[in-house]
Amino acid sequence: MSEQSKDLSDPNFAAEAPNSEVHSSPGVPEGVPPSATLAEPQSPPLGPTAAPQAAPPPQAPNDEGDPKALQQAAEEGRAHQAPSAAQPGPAPPAPAQLVQKAHELMWYVLVKDQKKMIIWFPDMVKDVIGSYKKWCRSILRRTSLILARVFGLHLRLTSLHTMEFALVKALEPEELDRVALSNRMPMTGLLLMILSLIYVKGRGARESAVWNVLRILGLRPWKKHSTFGDVRKLITEEFVQMNYLKYQRVPYVEPPEYEFFWGSRASREITKMQIMEFLARVFKKDPQAWPSRYREALEEARALREANPTAHYPRSSVSED
Amino acid sequence: MQGSTRRMSVMTDVHRRFLQLLMTHGVLEEWDVKRLQRHCYKVHDRNATVDKLEDFINNINSVLESLYIEIKRGVTEDDGRPIYALVNLATTSISKMATDFAENELDLFRKALELIIDSETGFGSSTNILNLVDQLKGKKMRKKEAEQVLQKFVQNKWLIEKEGEFTLHGRAILEMEQYIRETYPDAVKICNICHSLLIQGQSCETCGIRMHLPCVAKYFQSNAEPRCPHCNDYWPHEIPKVFDPEKERESGVSKSNKKSLRSRQH
């Protein structure tokens, strides 16, 4: 998505007038299960959503994929699977077979993440682990280890309730900036535009407001775009499916209207400072043209720094075994 | 972890970030890969000298070996651009696509693949592919739907479309070469020069050997009288130019606008 060089003096993005209903967090964190914090001791919840439910993590910080949490997940998963798990187990498979399963699972998770699909534990069992369900725990643990050491990625249980995993990059999200602003990932630019609008408004953005902004970029709900295709489907379905946006009916309004909020994944992966920098680039203004938002972004950045005084992915190039 | 302990010493955050980003993008051209590599160094190890790309990738591949994955380098068949992708060597089926597509969609791809491999030109026509819609496994698919699925394949860089005909994207060849050679050993065509899988290329009219266009370009470079390497007969086709990344950037031609010629030279 190319940046507009003309001055986009869209009232939606206007450098702020005093706004009495400042929302402190983009997107309503609708009961993020406290168990989400089980899986991430001290690690950046890249948004304030974890704040209300933050319980001190019950285990020591472990940057190698939290095998305990995954074990719990595995056990939960097994409990939800076929109840006949109690039969006398078959002979344990050769270690080489477990290793191979771990490699298959690693690839499976990487591809799912590449396609921005949900990594769902029951799918992992059905598609990859199969008859090795009983050794799921050790397979998962090995896979997490490999992902951490080779790719610098953490396989995190993001929701025990829905048994969803996510691959969290243990690296600063700065590349999102570069990538978003190049032509390589137009989707990200479009997404950032909408997220920025929501953030600046401080509350949900009505669909009509979103289209006002997209209209400036030449995007219309009824027109197919050469890069984005069906834009309306993209933002109301695909981005929502990927948890980057929430698309909800505005209550008590007739005829029905809808509004957008930040999705849980956006809150995790994108910082407020990134949004400010994006706005600054696109509108050729200083980020401080949105003073209260900028302050929020600064505070979030400080909170993140305080929560993560040291990097928690392997930095050394020395052999780790 | 077993076996690869001494190799682990090579993995630094530079390599990890590189792997992550390569995986995110799926397939990248060499110019982008070099830029990516420089970016990773800039982020994690500003003062280090940037390794030569080949060595850099070989280092990473030595670690990936025990995981049965590899950063593979290939060359696009139509204009010889080098491309890179992270591929799974342990694949015995079209497993990378399997997470993305339904059973009938995967079968549509298989049918298209077979048509492409069996064809003389390396292209399967849209009509012929769509006529096979009734034979697909899984849920029944209508032709209209199949057209959209084919477009999905193009968007995901598994197929390329030119004038209503489909051939394999460079990425598909990189990822699936092994699978294709094992599954269709009789129908598969091989390049006489590089001995890799050949989908599009030129062939000798006398003895029938085939060569990729970029292989032709390199083999006959500055040769006034090109002759078949096998039967020595005069080579009757137009010799394409060798891909030059420097010229490409200077002329400022953006990749998305460039329409490379499809050469029907069989």
Side-chain angles (χ1 to χ4, degrees):
Chain A
M1 178 171 101
S2 53
E3 305 158 35
Q4 298 294 306
S5 51
K6 57 184 182 194
D7 183 30
L8 296 169
S9 47
D10 186 280
N12 290 309
F13 278 103
E16 299 167 271
N19 184 348
S20 51
E21 37 174 305
V22 172
H23 219 262
S24 62
S25 65
V28 179
E30 39 183 30
V32 170
S35 53
T37 57
L38 270 181
E40 36 188 296
Q42 316 305 335
S43 92
L46 293 168
T49 51
Q53 287 89 353
Q59 67 229 33
N62 180 342
D63 64 345
E64 290 284 335
D66 299 305
K68 277 218 191 112
L70 293 166
Q71 281 172 34
Q72 270 168 303
E75 270 153 7
E76 278 277 330
R78 283 210 303 277
H80 286 122
Q81 298 299 321
S84 59
Q87 82 263 39
Q97 285 173 297
L98 289 183
V99 169
Q100 188 188 336
K101 278 295 167 191
H103 295 162
E104 286 174 22
L105 185 61
M106 169 204 73
W107 187 249
Y108 178 85
V109 159
L110 282 170
V111 172
K112 281 274 190 197
D113 184 70
Q114 183 195 72
K115 312 276 187 215
K116 302 250 188 279
M117 297 170 77
I118 298 287
I119 304 169
W120 199 40
F121 181 69
D123 278 342
M124 285 161 64
V125 174
K126 179 171 64 106
D127 295 335
V128 180
I129 301 182
S131 53
Y132 294 87
K133 229 161 48 176
K134 202 166 172 242
W135 296 275
C136 185
R137 193 187 320 167
S138 76
I139 294 173
L140 259 176
R141 186 174 17 200
R142 189 183 295 272
T143 300
S144 322
L145 271 173
I146 300 173
L147 284 168
R149 289 183 180 187
V150 177
F151 287 83
L153 293 168
H154 290 293
L155 182 61
R156 269 239 154 99
L157 180 67
T158 52
S159 162
L160 187 57
H161 178 62
T162 57
M163 290 192 279
E164 279 173 28
F165 284 84
L167 270 186
V168 177
K169 292 174 170 47
L171 304 168
E172 298 104 53
E174 61 164 279
E175 72 249 4
L176 193 61
D177 248 8
R178 178 188 65 87
V179 150
L181 297 169
S182 77
N183 287 331
R184 302 271 160 253
M185 288 181 49
M187 305 288 180
T188 317
L190 174 63
L191 177 65
L192 277 184
M193 202 66 172
I194 300 176
L195 291 175
S196 309
L197 175 63
I198 300 169
Y199 179 55
V200 164
K201 275 185 169 300
R203 57 184 190 284
R206 291 282 178 98
E207 189 168 356
S208 49
V210 170
W211 283 112
N212 277 339
V213 170
L214 296 185
R215 182 167 41 94
I216 300 172
L217 305 170
L219 302 175
R220 302 270 201 282
W222 60 84
K223 256 170 45 180
K224 266 201 166 21
H225 189 263
S226 56
T227 310
F228 300 116
D230 185 337
V231 183
R232 188 159 190 282
K233 183 160 186 258
L234 180 62
I235 64 178
T236 59
E237 286 179 36
E238 291 181 43
F239 283 162
V240 173
Q241 233 167 22
M242 298 194 261
N243 289 319
Y244 282 116
L245 288 178
K246 286 210 233 300
Y247 181 62
Q248 290 167 357
R249 172 116 182 244
V250 180
Y252 314 121
V253 166
E254 286 293 336
E257 280 189 50
Y258 289 81
E259 55 185 344
F260 290 91
F261 293 92
W262 278 45
S264 57
R265 190 164 179 173
S267 308
R268 265 201 315 274
E269 297 183 2
I270 300 171
T271 66
K272 293 175 178 173
M273 199 46 91
Q274 279 173 296
I275 297 288
M276 297 314 300
E277 286 162 10
F278 177 78
L279 287 172
R281 282 279 296 252
V282 168
F283 291 96
K284 309 250 190 294
K285 286 199 170 104
D286 193 273
Q288 308 202 37
W290 295 267
S292 64
R293 295 290 167 265
Y294 186 65
R295 263 200 306 277
E296 274 181 51
L298 279 178
E299 284 193 21
E300 183 198 62
R302 192 176 355 116
L304 286 175
R305 269 197 309 275
E306 281 170 12
N308 311 294
T310 53
H312 49 156
Y313 50 96
R315 258 198 193 286
S316 74
S317 56
V318 172
S319 168
E320 289 158 11
D321 269 354
Chain B
M1 294 215 19
Q2 67 268 4
S4 54
T5 42
R6 55 201 145 81
R7 298 253 168 84
M8 276 311 210
S9 58
V10 151
M11 279 314 263
T12 67
D13 285 342
V14 179
H15 302 100
R16 289 188 189 103
R17 185 177 280 255
F18 180 82
L19 263 182
Q20 278 181 27
L21 291 173
L22 182 59
M23 190 69 199
T24 304
H25 287 87
V27 60
L28 282 177
E29 300 207 8
E30 193 164 68
W31 162 238
D32 287 322
V33 173
K34 288 193 170 148
R35 198 169 65 144
L36 194 72
Q37 182 198 18
R38 284 196 297 271
H39 170 78
C40 296
Y41 269 97
K42 214 165 59 152
V43 172
H44 289 287
D45 208 354
R46 247 170 223 280
N47 300 318
T49 39
V50 175
D51 271 351
K52 206 164 75 112
L53 185 66
E54 199 184 327
D55 295 330
F56 186 76
I57 290 184
N58 284 340
N59 272 339
I60 298 179
N61 278 339
S62 68
V63 174
L64 299 183
E65 200 184 328
S66 57
L67 305 174
Y68 300 108
I69 61 179
E70 182 185 346
I71 300 176
K72 237 188 181 183
R73 182 187 192 271
V75 154
T76 57
E77 283 191 322
D78 49 6
D79 50 6
R81 296 164 178 280
I83 55 173
Y84 292 79
L86 188 59
V87 302
N88 185 345
L89 300 172
T91 298
T92 51
S93 64
I94 320 181
S95 65
K96 183 151 188 176
M97 301 175 74
T99 48
D100 225 11
F101 297 105
E103 190 187 358
N104 57 1
E105 293 173 329
L106 278 180
D107 213 33
L108 181 67
F109 184 82
R110 261 185 226 107
K111 292 272 183 284
L113 181 62
E114 282 166 17
L115 281 179
I116 289 169
I117 291 172
D118 285 334
S119 76
E120 253 309 293
T121 57
F123 281 83
S125 79
S126 174
T127 322
N128 288 344
I129 298 172
L130 293 175
N131 281 339
L132 299 172
V133 145
D134 292 325
Q135 301 172 24
L136 295 180
K137 294 187 213 158
K139 209 172 82 162
K140 189 161 164 60
M141 188 192 290
R142 284 161 309 159
K143 281 194 181 167
K144 257 280 175 261
E145 218 184 305
E147 271 175 5
Q148 284 173 3
V149 175
L150 286 175
Q151 286 313 311
K152 220 172 36 158
F153 291 145
V154 171
Q155 273 160 30
N156 283 287
K157 302 204 174 120
W158 297 110
L159 294 178
I160 296 174
E161 184 189 359
K162 283 202 179 108
E163 296 161 19
E165 297 197 318
F166 293 90
T167 189
L168 287 187
H169 195 284
R171 178 212 198 155
I173 297 177
L174 259 186
E175 306 240 7
M176 296 184 215
E177 170 163 1
Q178 201 181 343
Y179 164 74
I180 292 173
R181 290 175 81 148
E182 285 170 12
T183 315
Y184 308 99
D186 304 319
V188 136
K189 303 171 185 73
I190 305 290
C191 173
N192 192 266
I193 303 292
C194 67
H195 305 290
S196 302
L197 176 66
L198 183 143
I199 302 286
Q200 297 178 60
Q202 294 179 351
S203 64
C204 174
E205 279 162 11
T206 315
C207 66
I209 61 134
R210 296 168 193 271
M211 308 206 289
H212 291 117
L213 294 167
C215 294
V216 167
K218 232 189 281 185
Y219 188 75
F220 290 133
Q221 201 174 15
S222 50
N223 181 338
E225 264 196 45
R227 290 184 166 276
C228 172
H230 191 249
C231 70
N232 214 37
D233 234 19
Y234 182 63
W235 192 261
H237 307 290
E238 180 187 336
I239 310 296
K241 293 220 169 38
V242 175
F243 175 71
D244 184 352
E246 295 303 318
K247 277 243 181 66
E248 178 84 359
R249 255 176 295 137
E250 274 167 35
S251 67
V253 173
S254 103
K255 279 182 283 293
S256 53
N257 290 337
K258 180 176 172 193
K259 283 189 166 34
S260 30
L261 301 165
R262 170 165 63 89
S263 39
R264 276 178 156 293
Q265 287 166 343
H266 289 259

